[in-house]
Amino acid sequence: MKNKKTARKYSSPIVAKLLSELTPAEELQHRTKATLAARLDDLINARGWGKSEFAERANKNPSEITKWLSGTHNFTVETLAEIALALDMPVAELFAPKQIQVVNKIKIVVTVKEVEPSIKYVTPMGHLVSGSPNYFSGEHHGVMFPLTTRMHQA
């Protein structure tokens, strides 16, 4: 069984106090470092690489990659350029938000045809849709309402 890493929530009065004392510039710096670290981790994982493989491609030690992924590293432009080269992407793309990928997309076509009425049913709002009584033929006609069935002689 695979262990899935999930972030744990941690709250501390001391941490909350320290965070409340940050200037807006310090808060933005902290958030940017953490976001960049998370984006870098996503990019590495999307390629199916581990930290060691990425370290090899970036010509760095795995311990340095761990430091980068901690969210506390202050990246230089030179380091960002090395990372971008290892990932074969522009530096600006390191800051792009994660793209949502559509894996499965389907198109559903509903065909409606005239059928001989077999069972008449009445829905609370059915008359608003068609203006006439509703008949059930065993096929779905594209509109769904809560069904109240009353049997009538057709």
PDB file of all heavy atoms in Angstrom, residues 92-118:
ATOM      1  N   ALA A  92       9.900  32.295 -16.114  1.00  0.00           N
ATOM      2  CA  ALA A  92       8.587  32.854 -15.760  1.00  0.00           C
ATOM      3  C   ALA A  92       7.557  31.763 -15.495  1.00  0.00           C
ATOM      4  O   ALA A  92       6.657  31.937 -14.662  1.00  0.00           O
ATOM      5  CB  ALA A  92       8.096  33.785 -16.858  1.00  0.00           C
ATOM      6  N   GLU A  93       7.696  30.626 -16.172  1.00  0.00           N
ATOM      7  CA  GLU A  93       6.732  29.539 -16.002  1.00  0.00           C
ATOM      8  C   GLU A  93       6.830  28.898 -14.609  1.00  0.00           C
ATOM      9  O   GLU A  93       5.894  28.242 -14.156  1.00  0.00           O
ATOM     10  CB  GLU A  93       6.917  28.493 -17.096  1.00  0.00           C
ATOM     11  CG  GLU A  93       5.681  27.637 -17.310  1.00  0.00           C
ATOM     12  CD  GLU A  93       5.788  26.772 -18.542  1.00  0.00           C
ATOM     13  OE1 GLU A  93       6.255  27.250 -19.579  1.00  0.00           O
ATOM     14  OE2 GLU A  93       5.393  25.584 -18.436  1.00  0.00           O
ATOM     15  N   LEU A  94       7.947  29.101 -13.930  1.00  0.00           N
ATOM     16  CA  LEU A  94       8.076  28.589 -12.565  1.00  0.00           C
ATOM     17  C   LEU A  94       7.064  29.257 -11.633  1.00  0.00           C
ATOM     18  O   LEU A  94       6.686  28.700 -10.613  1.00  0.00           O
ATOM     19  CB  LEU A  94       9.492  28.827 -12.022  1.00  0.00           C
ATOM     20  CG  LEU A  94      10.619  28.078 -12.712  1.00  0.00           C
ATOM     21  CD1 LEU A  94      11.965  28.556 -12.187  1.00  0.00           C
ATOM     22  CD2 LEU A  94      10.469  26.583 -12.517  1.00  0.00           C
ATOM     23  N   PHE A  95       6.629  30.462 -11.999  1.00  0.00           N
ATOM     24  CA  PHE A  95       5.696  31.215 -11.171  1.00  0.00           C
ATOM     25  C   PHE A  95       4.259  31.104 -11.650  1.00  0.00           C
ATOM     26  O   PHE A  95       3.357  31.661 -11.034  1.00  0.00           O
ATOM     27  CB  PHE A  95       6.113  32.688 -11.114  1.00  0.00           C
ATOM     28  CG  PHE A  95       7.444  32.889 -10.446  1.00  0.00           C
ATOM     29  CD1 PHE A  95       8.617  32.919 -11.185  1.00  0.00           C
ATOM     30  CD2 PHE A  95       7.525  33.015  -9.068  1.00  0.00           C
ATOM     31  CE1 PHE A  95       9.844  33.087 -10.573  1.00  0.00           C
ATOM     32  CE2 PHE A  95       8.757  33.183  -8.443  1.00  0.00           C
ATOM     33  CZ  PHE A  95       9.911  33.223  -9.195  1.00  0.00           C
ATOM     34  N   ALA A  96       4.043  30.394 -12.750  1.00  0.00           N
ATOM     35  CA  ALA A  96       2.692  30.231 -13.290  1.00  0.00           C
ATOM     36  C   ALA A  96       1.897  29.288 -12.389  1.00  0.00           C
ATOM     37  O   ALA A  96       2.442  28.323 -11.858  1.00  0.00           O
ATOM     38  CB  ALA A  96       2.752  29.676 -14.704  1.00  0.00           C
ATOM     39  N   PRO A  97       0.607  29.561 -12.209  1.00  0.00           N
ATOM     40  CA  PRO A  97      -0.199  28.655 -11.386  1.00  0.00           C
ATOM     41  C   PRO A  97      -0.322  27.289 -12.040  1.00  0.00           C
ATOM     42  O   PRO A  97      -0.211  27.159 -13.260  1.00  0.00           O
ATOM     43  CB  PRO A  97      -1.565  29.345 -11.294  1.00  0.00           C
ATOM     44  CG  PRO A  97      -1.570  30.385 -12.356  1.00  0.00           C
ATOM     45  CD  PRO A  97      -0.150  30.674 -12.736  1.00  0.00           C
ATOM     46  N   LYS A  98      -0.556  26.295 -11.218  1.00  0.00           N
ATOM     47  CA  LYS A  98      -0.704  24.928 -11.703  1.00  0.00           C
ATOM     48  C   LYS A  98      -1.904  24.852 -12.636  1.00  0.00           C
ATOM     49  O   LYS A  98      -2.979  25.362 -12.327  1.00  0.00           O
ATOM     50  CB  LYS A  98      -0.903  23.982 -10.515  1.00  0.00           C
ATOM     51  CG  LYS A  98      -0.968  22.525 -10.885  1.00  0.00           C
ATOM     52  CD  LYS A  98      -1.103  21.657  -9.655  1.00  0.00           C
ATOM     53  CE  LYS A  98      -1.173  20.198 -10.014  1.00  0.00           C
ATOM     54  NZ  LYS A  98      -1.317  19.359  -8.834  1.00  0.00           N
ATOM     55  N   GLN A  99      -1.706  24.239 -13.796  1.00  0.00           N
ATOM     56  CA  GLN A  99      -2.773  24.112 -14.778  1.00  0.00           C
ATOM     57  C   GLN A  99      -3.643  22.913 -14.442  1.00  0.00           C
ATOM     58  O   GLN A  99      -3.143  21.862 -14.058  1.00  0.00           O
ATOM     59  CB  GLN A  99      -2.181  23.925 -16.182  1.00  0.00           C
ATOM     60  CG  GLN A  99      -1.362  25.105 -16.658  1.00  0.00           C
ATOM     61  CD  GLN A  99      -2.201  26.347 -16.849  1.00  0.00           C
ATOM     62  OE1 GLN A  99      -3.303  26.285 -17.371  1.00  0.00           O
ATOM     63  NE2 GLN A  99      -1.687  27.477 -16.399  1.00  0.00           N
ATOM     64  N   ILE A 100      -4.942  23.095 -14.605  1.00  0.00           N
ATOM     65  CA  ILE A 100      -5.874  21.992 -14.411  1.00  0.00           C
ATOM     66  C   ILE A 100      -5.961  21.239 -15.732  1.00  0.00           C
ATOM     67  O   ILE A 100      -6.178  21.838 -16.786  1.00  0.00           O
ATOM     68  CB  ILE A 100      -7.262  22.501 -13.979  1.00  0.00           C
ATOM     69  CG1 ILE A 100      -7.153  23.213 -12.636  1.00  0.00           C
ATOM     70  CG2 ILE A 100      -8.261  21.359 -13.933  1.00  0.00           C
ATOM     71  CD1 ILE A 100      -8.431  23.878 -12.191  1.00  0.00           C
ATOM     72  N   GLN A 101      -5.750  19.953 -15.665  1.00  0.00           N
ATOM     73  CA  GLN A 101      -5.731  19.140 -16.871  1.00  0.00           C
ATOM     74  C   GLN A 101      -7.011  18.320 -16.952  1.00  0.00           C
ATOM     75  O   GLN A 101      -7.382  17.637 -16.005  1.00  0.00           O
ATOM     76  CB  GLN A 101      -4.523  18.210 -16.840  1.00  0.00           C
ATOM     77  CG  GLN A 101      -4.383  17.381 -18.074  1.00  0.00           C
ATOM     78  CD  GLN A 101      -3.160  16.476 -18.004  1.00  0.00           C
ATOM     79  OE1 GLN A 101      -2.508  16.378 -16.988  1.00  0.00           O
ATOM     80  NE2 GLN A 101      -2.869  15.803 -19.085  1.00  0.00           N
ATOM     81  N   VAL A 102      -7.690  18.407 -18.099  1.00  0.00           N
ATOM     82  CA  VAL A 102      -8.883  17.606 -18.340  1.00  0.00           C
ATOM     83  C   VAL A 102      -8.411  16.264 -18.873  1.00  0.00           C
ATOM     84  O   VAL A 102      -7.767  16.189 -19.909  1.00  0.00           O
ATOM     85  CB  VAL A 102      -9.823  18.290 -19.348  1.00  0.00           C
ATOM     86  CG1 VAL A 102     -11.020  17.397 -19.643  1.00  0.00           C
ATOM     87  CG2 VAL A 102     -10.280  19.632 -18.813  1.00  0.00           C
ATOM     88  N   VAL A 103      -8.701  15.206 -18.123  1.00  0.00           N
ATOM     89  CA  VAL A 103      -8.246  13.877 -18.509  1.00  0.00           C
ATOM     90  C   VAL A 103      -9.269  13.203 -19.405  1.00  0.00           C
ATOM     91  O   VAL A 103      -8.942  12.664 -20.450  1.00  0.00           O
ATOM     92  CB  VAL A 103      -7.957  13.018 -17.251  1.00  0.00           C
ATOM     93  CG1 VAL A 103      -7.553  11.616 -17.650  1.00  0.00           C
ATOM     94  CG2 VAL A 103      -6.885  13.669 -16.409  1.00  0.00           C
ATOM     95  N   ASN A 104     -10.510  13.223 -19.012  1.00  0.00           N
ATOM     96  CA  ASN A 104     -11.576  12.595 -19.792  1.00  0.00           C
ATOM     97  C   ASN A 104     -12.621  13.641 -20.125  1.00  0.00           C
ATOM     98  O   ASN A 104     -13.066  14.380 -19.262  1.00  0.00           O
ATOM     99  CB  ASN A 104     -12.254  11.472 -18.998  1.00  0.00           C
ATOM    100  CG  ASN A 104     -11.346  10.292 -18.820  1.00  0.00           C
ATOM    101  OD1 ASN A 104     -10.599   9.938 -19.704  1.00  0.00           O
ATOM    102  ND2 ASN A 104     -11.400   9.677 -17.648  1.00  0.00           N
ATOM    103  N   LYS A 105     -12.988  13.705 -21.375  1.00  0.00           N
ATOM    104  CA  LYS A 105     -14.023  14.632 -21.799  1.00  0.00           C
ATOM    105  C   LYS A 105     -14.959  13.841 -22.687  1.00  0.00           C
ATOM    106  O   LYS A 105     -14.527  13.182 -23.633  1.00  0.00           O
ATOM    107  CB  LYS A 105     -13.405  15.798 -22.557  1.00  0.00           C
ATOM    108  CG  LYS A 105     -14.376  16.881 -22.913  1.00  0.00           C
ATOM    109  CD  LYS A 105     -13.643  18.049 -23.554  1.00  0.00           C
ATOM    110  CE  LYS A 105     -14.619  19.150 -23.893  1.00  0.00           C
ATOM    111  NZ  LYS A 105     -13.923  20.294 -24.508  1.00  0.00           N
ATOM    112  N   ILE A 106     -16.244  13.887 -22.379  1.00  0.00           N
ATOM    113  CA  ILE A 106     -17.208  13.152 -23.193  1.00  0.00           C
ATOM    114  C   ILE A 106     -18.288  14.105 -23.684  1.00  0.00           C
ATOM    115  O   ILE A 106     -18.536  15.144 -23.093  1.00  0.00           O
ATOM    116  CB  ILE A 106     -17.852  11.985 -22.410  1.00  0.00           C
ATOM    117  CG1 ILE A 106     -18.619  12.506 -21.182  1.00  0.00           C
ATOM    118  CG2 ILE A 106     -16.834  10.959 -22.006  1.00  0.00           C
ATOM    119  CD1 ILE A 106     -19.454  11.468 -20.503  1.00  0.00           C
ATOM    120  N   LYS A 107     -18.890  13.736 -24.757  1.00  0.00           N
ATOM    121  CA  LYS A 107     -19.997  14.501 -25.314  1.00  0.00           C
ATOM    122  C   LYS A 107     -21.207  13.581 -25.322  1.00  0.00           C
ATOM    123  O   LYS A 107     -21.124  12.454 -25.800  1.00  0.00           O
ATOM    124  CB  LYS A 107     -19.657  14.959 -26.729  1.00  0.00           C
ATOM    125  CG  LYS A 107     -20.721  15.818 -27.349  1.00  0.00           C
ATOM    126  CD  LYS A 107     -20.266  16.321 -28.717  1.00  0.00           C
ATOM    127  CE  LYS A 107     -21.340  17.189 -29.326  1.00  0.00           C
ATOM    128  NZ  LYS A 107     -20.912  17.713 -30.631  1.00  0.00           N
ATOM    129  N   ILE A 108     -22.298  14.069 -24.778  1.00  0.00           N
ATOM    130  CA  ILE A 108     -23.516  13.271 -24.710  1.00  0.00           C
ATOM    131  C   ILE A 108     -24.544  13.882 -25.658  1.00  0.00           C
ATOM    132  O   ILE A 108     -24.782  15.087 -25.618  1.00  0.00           O
ATOM    133  CB  ILE A 108     -24.083  13.233 -23.271  1.00  0.00           C
ATOM    134  CG1 ILE A 108     -23.071  12.574 -22.338  1.00  0.00           C
ATOM    135  CG2 ILE A 108     -25.418  12.512 -23.241  1.00  0.00           C
ATOM    136  CD1 ILE A 108     -23.463  12.605 -20.894  1.00  0.00           C
ATOM    137  N   VAL A 109     -25.129  13.050 -26.488  1.00  0.00           N
ATOM    138  CA  VAL A 109     -26.165  13.488 -27.410  1.00  0.00           C
ATOM    139  C   VAL A 109     -27.442  12.747 -27.039  1.00  0.00           C
ATOM    140  O   VAL A 109     -27.448  11.520 -26.954  1.00  0.00           O
ATOM    141  CB  VAL A 109     -25.789  13.181 -28.878  1.00  0.00           C
ATOM    142  CG1 VAL A 109     -26.906  13.589 -29.821  1.00  0.00           C
ATOM    143  CG2 VAL A 109     -24.491  13.872 -29.228  1.00  0.00           C
ATOM    144  N   VAL A 110     -28.506  13.481 -26.794  1.00  0.00           N
ATOM    145  CA  VAL A 110     -29.795  12.889 -26.458  1.00  0.00           C
ATOM    146  C   VAL A 110     -30.707  13.067 -27.656  1.00  0.00           C
ATOM    147  O   VAL A 110     -30.911  14.179 -28.129  1.00  0.00           O
ATOM    148  CB  VAL A 110     -30.409  13.563 -25.205  1.00  0.00           C
ATOM    149  CG1 VAL A 110     -31.782  12.978 -24.912  1.00  0.00           C
ATOM    150  CG2 VAL A 110     -29.491  13.418 -24.019  1.00  0.00           C
ATOM    151  N   THR A 111     -31.238  11.980 -28.159  1.00  0.00           N
ATOM    152  CA  THR A 111     -32.150  12.015 -29.295  1.00  0.00           C
ATOM    153  C   THR A 111     -33.569  11.797 -28.769  1.00  0.00           C
ATOM    154  O   THR A 111     -33.815  10.848 -28.027  1.00  0.00           O
ATOM    155  CB  THR A 111     -31.806  10.910 -30.309  1.00  0.00           C
ATOM    156  OG1 THR A 111     -30.441  11.059 -30.675  1.00  0.00           O
ATOM    157  CG2 THR A 111     -32.677  11.006 -31.537  1.00  0.00           C
ATOM    158  N   VAL A 112     -34.467  12.689 -29.161  1.00  0.00           N
ATOM    159  CA  VAL A 112     -35.859  12.591 -28.735  1.00  0.00           C
ATOM    160  C   VAL A 112     -36.679  12.177 -29.950  1.00  0.00           C
ATOM    161  O   VAL A 112     -36.526  12.729 -31.033  1.00  0.00           O
ATOM    162  CB  VAL A 112     -36.358  13.954 -28.188  1.00  0.00           C
ATOM    163  CG1 VAL A 112     -37.824  13.845 -27.783  1.00  0.00           C
ATOM    164  CG2 VAL A 112     -35.514  14.401 -27.022  1.00  0.00           C
ATOM    165  N   LYS A 113     -37.546  11.184 -29.760  1.00  0.00           N
ATOM    166  CA  LYS A 113     -38.398  10.756 -30.865  1.00  0.00           C
ATOM    167  C   LYS A 113     -39.829  10.597 -30.367  1.00  0.00           C
ATOM    168  O   LYS A 113     -40.064  10.419 -29.164  1.00  0.00           O
ATOM    169  CB  LYS A 113     -37.887   9.442 -31.462  1.00  0.00           C
ATOM    170  CG  LYS A 113     -37.892   8.280 -30.484  1.00  0.00           C
ATOM    171  CD  LYS A 113     -37.361   7.025 -31.142  1.00  0.00           C
ATOM    172  CE  LYS A 113     -37.417   5.882 -30.146  1.00  0.00           C
ATOM    173  NZ  LYS A 113     -36.998   4.629 -30.731  1.00  0.00           N
ATOM    174  N   GLU A 114     -40.736  10.709 -31.282  1.00  0.00           N
ATOM    175  CA  GLU A 114     -42.148  10.532 -30.949  1.00  0.00           C
ATOM    176  C   GLU A 114     -42.412   9.055 -30.688  1.00  0.00           C
ATOM    177  O   GLU A 114     -41.956   8.190 -31.432  1.00  0.00           O
ATOM    178  CB  GLU A 114     -43.038  11.015 -32.099  1.00  0.00           C
ATOM    179  CG  GLU A 114     -43.004  12.506 -32.324  1.00  0.00           C
ATOM    180  CD  GLU A 114     -43.645  13.271 -31.172  1.00  0.00           C
ATOM    181  OE1 GLU A 114     -44.654  12.804 -30.609  1.00  0.00           O
ATOM    182  OE2 GLU A 114     -43.120  14.348 -30.849  1.00  0.00           O
ATOM    183  N   VAL A 115     -43.135   8.766 -29.607  1.00  0.00           N
ATOM    184  CA  VAL A 115     -43.472   7.379 -29.280  1.00  0.00           C
ATOM    185  C   VAL A 115     -44.946   7.294 -28.917  1.00  0.00           C
ATOM    186  O   VAL A 115     -45.568   8.276 -28.530  1.00  0.00           O
ATOM    187  CB  VAL A 115     -42.618   6.855 -28.087  1.00  0.00           C
ATOM    188  CG1 VAL A 115     -41.168   6.771 -28.469  1.00  0.00           C
ATOM    189  CG2 VAL A 115     -42.806   7.724 -26.880  1.00  0.00           C
ATOM    190  N   GLU A 116     -45.433   6.129 -29.024  1.00  0.00           N
ATOM    191  CA  GLU A 116     -46.823   5.866 -28.642  1.00  0.00           C
ATOM    192  C   GLU A 116     -46.918   5.956 -27.124  1.00  0.00           C
ATOM    193  O   GLU A 116     -46.153   5.301 -26.418  1.00  0.00           O
ATOM    194  CB  GLU A 116     -47.216   4.458 -29.107  1.00  0.00           C
ATOM    195  CG  GLU A 116     -48.612   4.028 -28.745  1.00  0.00           C
ATOM    196  CD  GLU A 116     -49.623   4.473 -29.789  1.00  0.00           C
ATOM    197  OE1 GLU A 116     -49.221   4.690 -30.944  1.00  0.00           O
ATOM    198  OE2 GLU A 116     -50.785   4.601 -29.435  1.00  0.00           O
ATOM    199  N   PRO A 117     -47.819   6.786 -26.586  1.00  0.00           N
ATOM    200  CA  PRO A 117     -47.949   6.885 -25.130  1.00  0.00           C
ATOM    201  C   PRO A 117     -48.358   5.540 -24.526  1.00  0.00           C
ATOM    202  O   PRO A 117     -49.236   4.867 -25.041  1.00  0.00           O
ATOM    203  CB  PRO A 117     -49.051   7.913 -24.915  1.00  0.00           C
ATOM    204  CG  PRO A 117     -49.226   8.602 -26.229  1.00  0.00           C
ATOM    205  CD  PRO A 117     -48.728   7.670 -27.288  1.00  0.00           C
ATOM    206  N   SER A 118     -47.683   5.138 -23.468  1.00  0.00           N
ATOM    207  CA  SER A 118     -48.029   3.882 -22.835  1.00  0.00           C
ATOM    208  C   SER A 118     -48.488   4.110 -21.399  1.00  0.00           C
ATOM    209  O   SER A 118     -49.508   3.590 -20.997  1.00  0.00           O
ATOM    210  CB  SER A 118     -46.847   2.912 -22.875  1.00  0.00           C
ATOM    211  OG  SER A 118     -45.710   3.519 -22.285  1.00  0.00           O
TER     212      SER A 118
END
